[in-house]
Amino acid sequence: MDRIIIRGGNRLIGEVTISGAKNAALPMMAATLLTEGCSTFRNIPELRDIVTFKTLIEHLGGKVEQEGHTLRIESGTVKMPEAPYELVKTMRASILVLGPLVARMKRARVSLPGGCAIGARPINLHLMGLERMGAKVRIEHGYVDMTAGRLKGADICFDTPTVTGTENLMMAAALAEGVTVLENAAKEPEVVELAMVLNKMGARIDGMGTDTIRIDGVEELRPIVHTVMPDRIEAGTFMIASAMTRGNLLIRNCPLEDLDALVVKLKEAGVEVTPEGDGVRVVGSGQIRSVDIKTSPYPGFPTDLQAQMAAMMSMANGLTVITETVFENRFMHVSELRRMGAKIKIDGRTAIIKGNGRLSGAPVMATDLRASASLVLAGLAADGKTEVSRVYHLDRGYERIEKKLAAVGADIKRVKDAPKARQV
Ligand code: EPZ
């Protein structure tokens, strides 16, 4: 397993370009299952999750080829509507094939994703919606087994906004007979982008980006060519990195309009955030002010930037209260930050951080995608050497992050562990 070694204290100065959004690319790849023919996506990030999703589509019978950041998917050959445990357990987003397969193949057998480090991650709302649209659901041997005739439009209300739940049902409803209304729908920019892609394919969707999305089902959808939007979470991660290292970073191709909640908090913390060209310039001062954070569904503060902000607040001077309202166990980074000198107490879904203005480098272990980003940021700001292990978590959602950071002055490198000698 690779490790990342950082010697902290360097200011990040220069410019960095944001890659395509993982959480926009994955649902779009799933949407190709609704069509026959070849779709082309540009600005696809080179990430482990994208490779896993390619493997899944090929397992279903589709053909996928990737040249750099361009991906072509031929979905006319999809025959096998089954997503196996071996693939789904490595990437929960595999559940996104459920809606398209039921809508197009009238059948789907998808392994239950199971939980992950940050929470139980149930899919009851996905299943509730598809049942209301006429699918018959059977759960056994760890799989969701679904059969349906042509799905029927239905009125569906989510108990809580769910990003992939909204995406799954939007895709299923696109080919259903009649109108589907999704109430309390997720409003994330990636959900809006998927709705726009589906409409480019011939769907009739409106209300995306609001609580109520209306989908008027059509008979068939056509393949498309589309350029994936930039990744707001990668952009936010680099903005926080600049703030933590007294940096002066120009973050190119940054969807600033999707990061209002973060920008407000960074400015409150004393960080200069100025739109510049197609991106934003972020200038960190020597002093970081403590600010309280409460995560919530978009447009609230994104849960996917909570761990990164916890690292930054560990460097601040004062008391910070972070409340994580979306996932029940998203403080896995805290015990590792404590090893670096952070003073953090956890009480249920609240973390209380007594910022003491400094962190010290230490060996730490990544547990999930955004926790690993938090540890890298802490290493950039800490005194001395930090070694982050299990960086495969990081590779799921950040394209060559150590190269991008080194290019703007970080003392950071990836070390590949020699394969363990076989025990004889
Ligand atoms: C998406 O996960 C993202 N993943 C996550 O990003 C992100 O953290 C999350 O949305 C919240 O923004 C992708 O888009 C691939 P949810 P998702 O369904 O859809 C509860 C990253 O780091 N819920 O919006 O799985 C659930 O338990 C990843 O890139 C149900 O109760 O999240 C949670 O408390 C991590 N029943 C809340 O809703 C359901 O059927 C929000 O979850 C579905 C969800």
Side-chain angles (χ1 to χ4, degrees), residues 22-23 26 92-93 96 118 121-126 160-165 167 188 303-304 326-328 330 369-370:
K22 163 177 86 84
N23 291 350
L26 295 174
R92 303 189 66 271
L96 284 164
I118 65 178
R121 312 293 295 276
I123 60 165
N124 59 307
L125 299 177
H126 301 234
T160 178
T162 159
V163 171
T164 49
E167 291 167 343
E188 274 69 5
T303 174
D304 291 349
V326 178
F327 291 113
E328 66 269 27
R330 203 166 201 178
L369 169 54
R370 306 303 173 184

Side-chain angles (χ1 to χ4, degrees), residues 122-135:
I123 60 165
N124 59 307
L125 299 177
H126 301 234
L127 303 180
M128 172 276 293
L130 288 167
E131 279 187 301
R132 285 188 59 71
M133 295 171 77

Side-chain angles (χ1 to χ4, degrees), residues 197-273:
V197 162
L198 289 167
N199 281 347
K200 271 171 88 169
M201 295 164 80
R204 290 200 292 253
I205 303 174
D206 57 41
M208 49 279 211
T210 75
D211 296 308
T212 305
I213 299 177
R214 188 180 185 281
I215 306 105
D216 190 354
V218 296
E219 297 285 333
E220 67 172 347
L221 297 171
R222 53 183 177 275
I224 44 133
V225 178
H226 186 76
T227 299
V228 178
M229 67 191 288
D231 191 321
R232 64 189 167 101
I233 302 302
E234 183 194 17
T237 303
F238 277 102
M239 291 169 75
I240 296 168
S242 185
M244 288 178 69
T245 59
R246 292 171 290 108
N248 186 328
L249 261 191
L250 174 58
I251 298 162
R252 307 286 310 272
N253 195 27
C254 172
L256 198 57
E257 65 284 358
D258 297 338
L259 286 162
D260 287 350
L262 173 66
V263 171
V264 165
K265 291 297 178 181
L266 288 179
K267 286 182 173 175
E268 267 180 48
V271 181
E272 267 179 57
V273 181

Side-chain angles (χ1 to χ4, degrees), residues 260-296:
D260 287 350
L262 173 66
V263 171
V264 165
K265 291 297 178 181
L266 288 179
K267 286 182 173 175
E268 267 180 48
V271 181
E272 267 179 57
V273 181
T274 317
E276 187 174 321
D278 69 345
V280 63
R281 184 171 293 279
V282 178
V283 180
S285 68
Q287 288 298 320
I288 296 174
R289 285 197 292 270
S290 296
V291 292
D292 292 343
I293 303 285
K294 182 171 186 177
T295 68
S296 59

